[in-house]
Each structure stands twice: as structure tokens, then as C-alpha cells.
Amino acid sequence: MQDRSPWLVYANFVSDLALGLEAGDVLERWATQAPRKVWLLRAGDVLVTPVPVSPDFRTYALGLLDVPDASVSVLHAPGRRGAAMADALRQDGLLETVRGLVAGRAGMALLPTALDASAVALAAELGIPVSGYASAEGAGAALGVTSLLNTKAGFRQVAPELGIRVPRGRVCRRDELRDAVRSHLAGHGRAVLKPDRSAGGHGILFVSPGDPWWLGLDEGGLGGAEGPWIVEEWLDVAHSVSVQMDVGPHGVGPAFSGEMRTVGPVFSGYLSPLSGATAGAAEELERWGRALGTYLADRGYAGPFGIDAVITRDGALVATESNIRRTATTTPQVMIARLARSAGLTGTPAWLLGQRRAAAVLDFGTAAGRLSAAGLDWTTARREGVVLYADAPHDGRSWRYAVIGPHRERLLELEAALSEVMGLS
């Protein structure tokens, strides 16, 4: 990130862009990650977050960034189940508080996690643009394409036009799902079921002949009773990968790529850059990303986006979805790039993200202290180390961390040492 005007960092994890608002439990779990948006802040910025940022984490993050605590403002806006974040702000009487925080900060722009209609309306109401756009109205022109391509059906519709390979399959209504699955199993033996709007792997089912798969459907949350579903071929996956791109004033360009860590279908971490068995996918992923980025730009979109894909055991690269928003990797990568620059590094070093459970409950200060005592914490002098990038978990045990180092082998060494020091499993 270069010098810029102030941001209103708007952590609207509760958004209908990736999921329906009826999926309250999933959205609330995602929202617990909102404190990581502190890593985007610079002097003069404001963060609006649906969960509180602990004082220890705020001091820790801003200290590593060398941003004075008093130079930023953080507003906790708790939200309401079933309501988009901006609607909750209005209902809770916090809109005037936000307006007061924006006042007097010349050039401020809204930086949402998800570019949805609610966020655009909020920017218009505050009289500020959305970051990357000349105005809130300009951002509003992109809502059609963001809505389409944050669905799996929309991506399957557009991808073949752009030369992007996708799994064989079909889109069907909920009332067609049993017949579609029965037909697919008869022809192919196994299937993957995906709700049209989902993220992070939540709601995906792997089905074999004879499975009572319908018992695993989430009627009121992911997919809902009426939402479309995707029935796709089962692929023998060796690696799950992604490319993250950006549509900016100078065109479409790559931000980073890497390998996703998963537990079953659920995202649990990341390893960047692609190397070894996954390195060969980088060029084709970037080509797909440029094609999709041009499509987005032609329809008014500006900002980050990504393509998720898999590499099969026979070496085929197949794209599974697009994410036209800030994802679980976007903010940590910005954090890592900022820390690397502060250490005098050119370019972004190798890095990984993980989420593991500690043997005992730890508060943030204790966890950070253990890293420091063991010499595992990130410092500009060492130019490597571990960063606790997402505040203390609510259960005190499910820690998210980033490891930064010169190459993949060193990352794994540091992660193993971290596991021993914090009792992670």
C-alpha cells in the first residue's frame, strides 16, 4: 500500500454477497475475524468492526506497524442477526457516530470487505466514495457483476467464455436436486454438492452412491430451501490453489498466489508462493485471472478478486469458483507486505497462514509473550517470525497465525517450533 487518503475500513463480514443473511451462524463465525482489519490501518483511518478489538491485540498490531494508537479510531458496531451491517448501524443508532468519525478527514473513502448494496448505500449516505471508485454511485454500477460472480453458478456461466476450465456439472433448483444427484451418481460414481452462495468450503458435501446425503443439507442457512445448488464431478484433488488479483487504475495485475490448506472442504490456512508441485500452475492461474479481471473491469469493477482452483493427481488444473471481494488471505498478505517493507525487504517473502488449537486456554498477552520468549516473534532485525494476526480466539485455544520467512522450508521449521511453544495440535 502506498500513501493514500484516509480509509473508513468497513468490516462487513455480515453481508449477502457470499452468503444469504439467513446463514446467521456462519456469518457470525466469520465476523470473529474482523479484528484482523487493524492491519490495514494507517494514521487517520477509522475501523468499524462487528466484534470488539481487544486492547492487547490493538497495541500489538499497531506497534508492529509503527502506527500511533491515538492516530486511528476503532468503533465496535455489534450488528443484528439477519441484518446487513449498515442496516444494523442505523437500527442501533450508530450512524451519526460514524458520520462524526468521518467528518474532518479530507478525502476519506469507504473500504468494505464485501462490495454489496448495503455498503454502497452507506458510502452514499456518508457522502464519501468507495475506495477505488470516483463515487459511491460508481461503485454501485459494479454490484451486478459482483453479485453474479460471487456465486458458483455465475462463475460456471462466465468461465468457459474466458477460457477457464471448470468441473463438469450442472446447476439445479432445490426441488431438482435429488434427481440431479441420482443421475450424476449413475454416470460418474461420486459427486460434489455445493450451495450456490457459500465460501470457505462451508456447506459442500461429497457424495458416494448409497449415502443419505440429503440429511446433510442446511435448509435454513447455506443454500436455503429455494437457492440453487451445483452438482459437480468429484475430482481426485492433490492440491487446492488460488490466485489473487487486483483491478486498479493501471489495469489488471496479480497480487499473490498460493496453496490453500483445507480440512475436508473447509479452508484452514494458506502457503505462498506456489512452489514445488504447485509452481507450474502459477502461469495458467494468472492468465485466467487476467481474463476474469478484464471481464470485471469492463463491467465497472475495481478492487481485489481471486480464483480458487484444484490440481488433480493427474496434473489437471480446474477452477472451482471466483471471489470478488476481500478474502481470508487478502488482509494478512497486506500485513506481511507492510512488515517486509519495514524490515527493508524487497518484494514479499514466503509466508503461511494456519489455524490450530492450543492445549490450554491462553490470553493474547500470554500467547504473544511465549513467542517473544522463544525468539519466534516477527522482528525487523530477524526478518522472519510468527505474527498472531487475528486477535485472541473466543475459546482461547483456536489460534490463527502467520509465519514469515525466506522460503517454504524455513516456514515449516518455524511453524513446528510455534506448535511446540504454544502446544498446538
Side-chain angles (χ1 to χ4, degrees):
M1 294 190 305
Q2 299 178 353
D3 292 339
R4 54 167 174 76
S5 297
W7 278 343
L8 174 62
V9 179
Y10 182 60
N12 60 330
F13 285 81
V14 180
S15 165
D16 61 1
L17 194 65
L19 292 177
L21 292 173
E22 69 274 7
D25 288 343
V26 178
L27 290 169
E28 287 172 8
R29 287 199 300 273
W30 286 354
T32 62
Q33 302 176 60
R36 72 180 186 219
K37 297 298 182 181
V38 168
W39 296 106
L40 299 178
L41 299 181
R42 295 195 175 197
D45 288 348
V46 176
L47 169 63
V48 178
T49 168
V51 297
V53 178
S54 73
D56 283 349
F57 177 68
R58 175 171 169 165
T59 298
Y60 168 85
L62 294 178
L64 285 176
L65 294 173
D66 196 26
V67 173
D69 188 281
S71 71
V72 301
S73 298
V74 177
L75 174 65
H76 174 213
R80 297 179 179 225
R81 177 166 286 204
M85 190 171 171
D87 295 332
L89 282 171
R90 296 184 189 93
Q91 293 168 21
D92 291 337
L94 292 172
L95 188 58
E96 289 309 309
T97 302
V98 176
R99 199 185 303 279
L101 291 170
V102 169
R105 289 176 164 88
M108 176 163 276
L110 183 81
L111 185 80
T113 297
L115 183 66
D116 60 16
S118 174
V120 171
L122 177 63
E125 196 166 353
L126 294 172
I128 61 175
V130 176
S131 180
Y133 301 86
S135 65
E137 292 75 18
L143 291 177
V145 75
T146 62
S147 180
L148 175 68
L149 285 171
N150 276 294
T151 67
K152 292 171 177 57
F155 180 64
R156 290 183 62 85
Q157 172 189 325
V158 171
E161 302 173 21
L162 304 177
I164 301 172
R165 283 188 299 278
V166 296
R168 290 175 297 181
R170 59 170 288 193
V171 180
C172 61
R173 299 191 311 267
R174 176 59 186 271
D175 60 4
E176 301 172 320
L177 193 52
R178 286 208 183 201
D179 286 344
V181 172
R182 187 180 298 115
S183 174
H184 188 97
L185 292 178
H188 302 286
R190 298 183 71 177
V192 184
L193 309 189
K194 301 176 180 180
D196 192 31
R197 288 190 182 274
S198 73
H202 294 280
I204 293 177
L205 298 174
F206 298 98
V207 179
S208 296
D211 289 347
W213 55 268
W214 53 88
L215 300 178
L217 296 184
D218 185 349
E219 292 274 358
L222 298 175
E226 302 299 328
W229 284 75
I230 317 301
V231 181
E232 283 184 349
E233 64 178 319
W234 178 87
L235 299 171
D236 189 6
V237 175
H239 304 278
S240 297
V241 296
S242 80
V243 64
Q244 304 298 312
M245 308 284 292
D246 190 77
V247 179
H250 303 296
V252 180
F256 58 95
S257 60
E259 180 170 3
M260 293 178 281
R261 294 169 149 192
T262 59
V263 178
V266 178
F267 177 89
S268 64
Y270 202 71
L271 188 58
S272 180
L274 294 172
S275 64
T278 63
E283 183 177 344
E284 189 163 22
L285 279 172
E286 185 176 325
R287 185 166 64 249
W288 289 353
R290 290 186 183 279
L292 182 59
T294 300
Y295 183 93
L296 290 166
D298 288 347
R299 287 154 183 81
Y301 180 76
F305 70 95
I307 297 175
D308 291 348
V310 298
I311 302 173
T312 65
R313 295 198 184 278
D314 59 5
L317 180 68
V318 183
T320 55
E321 66 179 9
S322 57
N323 297 300
I324 318 303
R325 59 184 186 274
R326 288 170 173 80
T327 67
T329 57
T330 310
T331 295
Q333 190 274 336
V334 171
M335 171 196 77
I336 289 159
R338 289 181 70 177
L339 295 177
R341 282 197 298 272
S342 72
L345 295 173
T346 56
T348 302
W351 53 280
L352 67 77
L353 306 178
Q355 181 180 10
R356 308 266 290 280
R357 284 179 63 80
V361 172
L362 303 172
D363 60 33
F364 191 88
T366 300
R370 287 191 181 186
L371 295 182
S372 179
L376 292 175
D377 57 321
W378 164 268
T379 68
T380 55
R382 278 196 292 268
R383 296 183 170 185
E384 66 175 26
V386 178
V387 180
L388 302 175
Y389 73 89
D391 212 339
H394 287 187
D395 63 4
R397 297 182 63 186
S398 304
W399 290 87
R400 296 176 187 269
Y401 55 86
V403 184
I404 308 167
H407 49 73
R408 178 175 293 214
E409 291 73 19
R410 182 56 177 158
L411 296 180
L412 298 178
E413 290 174 1
L414 290 167
E415 186 178 37
L418 166 69
S419 297
E420 184 173 348
V421 165
M422 290 187 61
L424 301 180
S425 61

